[in-house]
Amino acid sequence: MLVLDLLNSDPRSKAAPRPAEAPRHPEKAHRPDQPMLKKPDWIRVKAPGSAGYQATHGIVKEHGLVTVCEEAGCPNIGECWTKKHATFMIMGDTCTRACAFCNVRTGLPGALDPHEPEHIGEAVAKLGLAHVVITSVDRDDLADGGAEHFAQVIRAIRRLAPGTTIEVLTPDFLRKPGALEVVVEARPDVFNHNLETVPSLYLSVRPGARYFHSLRLLQRVKDLDPSIFTKSGIMVGLGEERTEVLQVMDDMRSADIDFLTIGQYLQPTKKHHPVKSFVTPDAFKAYETVATAKGFLVVSASPLTRSSHHAGEDFQRLRAARRERAAA
């Protein structure tokens, strides 16, 4: 079994680790090791390697693209890439923030690639995607947080793959006035921004973000364009209480969020926030039942649920649920 040094190596390659002077997570290197709990049987997934996986990998590499599937070490990459589903991560592979749960590289990012929107559009067309998810690293170094780059990617996909529906999973654009409006004006079909966890854990899990700012961001999308579906997700197993999860659901519904995802947090390395518990499939099912009763159009809650997992199928469910509710 190949074991990657995720503090110093690049998960997209089996090549030698990057030099010690350029660690993957420099801000985490000094932290004490955290225990890593053994995963229960319901978390285990097959290693990728199918012909479909290899085909998707080839298209991604051909166009020099970055995917969050690889950068975040998503457990569903084998399933999704076999179906030629991939979540493209724009604006580089280096994030300006250092969330305690996240495995994306942190540091000072490079300049934006002006050709990236075109390359994304070409890859989407070549893969023949019915639905695509576009996410990014946080780019606090940019005046607009990368909002215009998001808009350019959306426009390139509309031009090169006009039949593809588009979902964006954006940063919070904290202290970037006008940025959200730029993305909304480009009219993605789904606007996703994850709250990630309950408010009481923000200081330790998501210290660079603000819970109520993220919530207001999603509410503002609906104010600007009610036709855009809004979506958000949280992880469980970080140490939250059940009552806190239920309060987050209520907060999301107050912001008119359409789609909720809940998944199990998995600890990337010993330097990341520890898993406090593995939530059982039955407990996830209970969360899904409660959330549906609270009025979300679609709820996806399971140990392996991730923001972009089954995004295309879930978009069709969103459309159908909106039509059904409008007809009621």
Side-chain angles (χ1 to χ4, degrees), residues 13 21 30 36 56 62 93 106 118 131-133 163 171 204 231 238 241 270 276 281 289 296 300 315 318:
S13 170
E21 64 269 20
H30 68 281
M36 297 187 70
T56 301
E62 176 189 349
D93 66 353
T106 56
E118 193 81 4
H131 185 81
V132 65
V133 182
S204 59
K231 178 177 175 181
L238 287 156
E241 298 291 336
K270 291 180 179 180
K276 296 294 187 180
T289 299
F296 291 96
S300 179
F315 178 68
L318 272 172

Side-chain angles (χ1 to χ4, degrees), residues 182-203:
V182 170
V183 180
V184 172
E185 188 177 356
R187 303 203 71 240
D189 297 282
V190 181
F191 192 107
N192 185 1
H193 172 66
N194 287 329
L195 296 185
E196 305 292 8
T197 188
V198 301
S200 67
L201 294 179
Y202 259 55
L203 188 60

Side-chain angles (χ1 to χ4, degrees), residues 302-324:
S302 75
L304 291 174
T305 289
R306 296 296 182 267
S307 289
S308 307
H309 195 209
H310 299 154
E313 296 94 323
D314 287 337
F315 178 68
Q316 296 305 320
R317 291 170 61 203
L318 272 172
R319 276 180 161 170
R322 175 180 280 178
R323 288 195 296 267
E324 183 178 337

Side-chain angles (χ1 to χ4, degrees), residues 4-160:
L4 294 172
D5 176 1
L6 293 176
L7 287 177
N8 294 292
S9 68
D10 188 336
R12 296 170 294 170
S13 170
K14 294 182 181 179
R18 289 174 180 250
E21 64 269 20
R24 184 172 177 82
H25 300 295
E27 80 296 334
K28 294 182 175 74
H30 68 281
R31 296 180 182 176
D33 287 354
Q34 300 289 343
M36 297 187 70
L37 302 181
K38 182 181 178 181
K39 295 183 182 71
D41 290 341
W42 63 78
I43 293 291
R44 302 183 188 280
V45 294
K46 292 182 179 179
S50 68
Y53 171 89
Q54 297 299 338
T56 301
H57 182 271
I59 292 171
V60 167
K61 298 310 169 191
E62 176 189 349
H63 292 275
L65 303 176
V66 178
T67 69
V68 76
C69 321
E70 299 166 287
E71 292 300 322
C74 180
N76 301 313
I77 188 170
E79 176 191 351
C80 292
W81 281 30
T82 294
K83 298 177 180 178
K84 293 192 175 181
H85 296 170
T87 298
F88 297 109
M89 191 165 78
I90 61 175
M91 299 190 281
D93 66 353
T94 303
C95 187
T96 54
R97 297 192 191 174
C99 296
F101 66 88
C102 186
N103 197 39
V104 172
R105 185 181 305 280
T106 56
L108 182 63
L112 295 180
D113 176 3
H115 304 294
E116 184 173 52
E118 193 81 4
H119 292 162
I120 293 284
E122 291 170 354
V124 170
K126 186 169 289 188
L127 284 164
L129 299 183
H131 185 81
V132 65
V133 182
I134 305 296
T135 190
S136 78
V137 291
D138 277 289
R139 290 299 303 256
D140 296 314
D141 58 312
L142 301 175
D144 68 348
E148 177 57 30
H149 201 75
F150 261 104
Q152 290 177 16
V153 170
I154 293 169
R155 290 192 288 265
I157 295 170
R158 295 284 188 223
R159 178 168 47 84
L160 296 168

